[in-house]
Amino acid sequence: SNSRAPGMEGTERFLSPGSGRGLRAMRHFALGELVFACPAYSYVLTVNERGAHCENCFTRREDLFKCGKCKQAYYCNIDCQRSDWSMHKLECVAMCAYGENWCPSETVRLVARILMKQRVTTERTPSEKLLLLTEFESHLDKMDSEKDELNQADIAALHHFYSKHISDLPDEQALTELFAQVNCNGFTIEDEELSHLGSAVFPDVALMNHSCSPNVIVTYKGTLAEVRAVQEINPGDEVFNSYIDLLYPTEDRKERLLDSYFFTCQCTECTSKSKDKAKMEIKKLSSPTEPEEIQSMVYYAKNVIEEFRRAKHYKNILFLCLYFELLEICELSQEKMAAIFADTNVYMLHMMYQAMGVCLYMQDWDGAMSYGEKIIQPYSVHYPAYSLNVASMYLKLGRLYLGLEKKTQGVKALNKAVAIMEVAHGKDHNYVAEVKREIEEQK
C-alpha cells in the first residue's frame, strides 16, 4: 500500500512501535485543524432514526419523503433515493415480506451492505487511501466462546434475512472473519448530543491507534468522518484517537480495551494514571474508609453498570415499567454508593448520567436538568480538554435551561458547548451553526 496518498497529504501510514500499523503526521497541525476526512465505505442508518434522517445522506430534516414500497425508508429527494437504492433494495422487499419479524441487528445490516459494495467495487475506494478494508485486523485467534456465539448468531441472521438478495454468500470462515473485522473496526455515527444515528466502516480512520489522551477527535458530517486535532500535532507525531469513553479510571479502561479491541494500552495516561485519584474520589468521613470497603463498592458499582447496560437492550419491549425500574436502580445504587463515594466519583456520575437519560426519555425536564447540573463540573475535570462527552452535556443542559425559560444559564451552557465544538467539529459545521442560532434567538 502507498504510505502517502492524495487527500492524505499531511499524514502517512507507518509501523508504530508495539502497535502494528498506525498513522503519523508529516506536518504541523494546529488545534482544531482538519487532519483528514474519510467518506464511509459502507454505512446504515439506525432503525430508531428512520423518518428523522435521510437514509442516504443522514441529513436531519422535517420534510423527508418515504419509499413507496416499504414505507420505512425516508429520503431528502429522488436523487438521494436513487443513490441509496443499490443498498436499500437489500431490505425493501424483505421488510415487506417479514413485517414485524424483520429484525437483523445493525451489524448484520452493515455487513450485508459491505458484501454488496465489495461485489461492485474493483479498485481502491476513496475511503481506503491508506488502509484497505480487507487489511482490517480480525483478532479471530483471541475470540472467546461468548463472542464466537454472537458471531454465529449474526451469520445465521445474515443468511436468514439477506440470502435471497445476495446470491452465494461467502463461506462460514470468510463471514466469521468479516464480522470479527467489523466488530473491531466499525464506527458508530452519533449526532451532536451523542445520540446514536447509525453504523459505518471508515478504513482510513480505523488505521489510527488508540490513546487515552488522544490528539484527534472523529466527528461526522452526514456519512463523512472528519478527524480534527484536539492537541497541537508536530511533524513525526503519531496520530491517536480514543476508541472508548475516557471517563473511567485506568484499570477499567484497560479492561474495556482488552475485551473489545484485544490490546493492552500503554499510553501516557495509563502509565501516569494522573486522573485516577480524582475519578475515584472517596467521601471525607470522620473515620477513614477501609480499602476492602472501597474495593467491594467498586465491585458493586461495576456490576450495577453492567446490569444496567444489559437491561437497556430490552427498552423497546418493556418501555415504561422498565424505565421506572431503571430510575429506581439509579437512585438506589447512588444512595448505596454515596456512603463511600464522593459526588464527583465516576461511578456516581455514571449512574447520574443514566438517570438523566431516563428523565429525558420520560420528559421529566426538571429532573434531567438537576442531574445535568451535578454532572457537568466533574465531567470537565475528568475528561480531556476537548471532549464530545463534555460538549454534548453542555448542549443538553443548555437546551434544557432554555426549554425551562432559564435564559442566562442556557446561553452560558450553549456557549461552552460551542467553544468545544468549534475545535472538535470545526467552525463551519452545521451543528455549530445550529447552536449559534439557538444562542442568537435568545438575544
Side-chain angles (χ1 to χ4, degrees), residues 38-56:
C38 177
Y41 178 93
S42 289
Y43 59 91
V44 61
L45 182 74
T46 199
V47 169
N48 286 340
E49 290 295 330
R50 283 182 175 158
H53 292 259
C54 172
E55 295 274 333
N56 182 59

Side-chain angles (χ1 to χ4, degrees), residues 45-97:
L45 182 74
T46 199
V47 169
N48 286 340
E49 290 295 330
R50 283 182 175 158
H53 292 259
C54 172
E55 295 274 333
N56 182 59
C57 68
F58 279 34
T59 301
R60 174 172 62 196
R61 48 193 282 186
E62 303 286 309
D63 54 347
L64 299 167
F65 80 93
K66 60 173 173 249
C67 166
K69 276 208 183 83
C70 66
K71 305 188 173 31
Q72 306 265 351
Y74 287 74
Y75 298 100
C76 295
N77 50 42
I78 195 79
D79 294 332
C80 275
Q81 184 176 19
R82 276 204 192 105
S83 158
D84 191 51
W85 177 243
S86 65
M87 294 301 157
H88 178 55
K89 70 170 186 233
L90 296 175
E91 300 184 339
C92 187
V93 178
M95 286 192 298
C96 297

Side-chain angles (χ1 to χ4, degrees), residues 1-2 4-8 37 39 124-131 204:
S1 152
N2 42 347
R4 303 177 181 193
M8 299 284 280
R124 253 195 143 85
T125 66
S127 321
E128 304 170 294
K129 288 175 175 153
L130 296 182
L131 184 70
D204 287 331

Side-chain angles (χ1 to χ4, degrees), residues 332-372:
L332 291 173
S333 58
Q334 275 176 69
E335 228 168 274
K336 182 169 164 159
M337 289 191 247
I340 292 183
F341 294 158
D343 272 356
T344 56
N345 182 295
V346 293
Y347 297 124
M348 293 291 284
L349 294 171
H350 179 101
M351 292 326 290
M352 289 180 202
Y353 181 84
Q354 297 298 340
M356 182 182 181
V358 175
C359 289
L360 288 169
Y361 180 81
M362 286 163 50
Q363 303 191 346
D364 168 8
W365 310 127
D366 285 291
M369 179 189 76
S370 65
Y371 278 118

Side-chain angles (χ1 to χ4, degrees), residues 28-33 35 211-217 228-234 237 240 268 384-386 423:
H28 175 266
F29 289 96
L31 183 70
E33 193 176 343
V35 178
S211 166
C212 299
S213 65
N215 52 11
V216 296
I217 276 184
R228 280 189 180 73
V230 288
Q231 295 181 34
E232 201 168 318
I233 300 175
N234 291 306
D237 286 355
F240 291 109
T268 48
Y386 295 93
V423 171

